[in-house]
Amino acid sequence: MLIGIAAFESGDQTAAMTNLQSVINSNDAGAQDKGRAHFYLGSMAYHASRFDEARTHLHTAQADAPSPEQEWANDMLSWRWQEP
């Protein structure tokens, strides 16, 4: 998980997507880790103008991610799609 977040923060989208998607597909990752991965994948999808994909990831993050990613997902859904 941390490798994917570090890759996201350093701008390495390919490594971030690969690592974060592996977290989502893992049977060993818990709901919170998967929720965090969904937030970062949603952010990348949003910035790539893949809005439907972003919204789906952000809804999962809103439900499952820990703080602060859950709040960030709430904020993104609120300002982009006017959702609570």
Side-chain angles (χ1 to χ4, degrees):
M1 167 62 75
L2 296 178
I3 293 169
I5 293 171
F8 171 85
E9 290 175 346
S10 70
D12 186 347
Q13 300 244 340
T14 302
M17 288 182 76
T18 299
N19 185 272
L20 295 167
Q21 191 63 51
S22 72
V23 171
I24 290 171
N25 295 334
S26 171
N27 292 329
D28 297 327
Q32 286 193 335
D33 284 340
K34 290 181 181 194
R36 287 181 82 190
H38 277 287
F39 170 76
Y40 290 102
L41 288 169
S43 295
M44 287 187 286
Y46 181 84
H47 290 289
S49 299
R50 297 187 316 267
F51 299 119
D52 290 339
E53 178 185 344
R55 191 174 185 192
T56 299
H57 282 299
L58 292 170
H59 274 288
T60 302
Q62 184 183 42
D64 296 338
S67 182
E69 288 88 355
Q70 184 179 57
E71 288 82 13
W72 296 339
N74 287 336
D75 290 346
M76 288 180 75
L77 288 165
S78 176
W79 58 258
R80 174 60 175 97
W81 291 283
Q82 291 76 48
E83 295 181 10

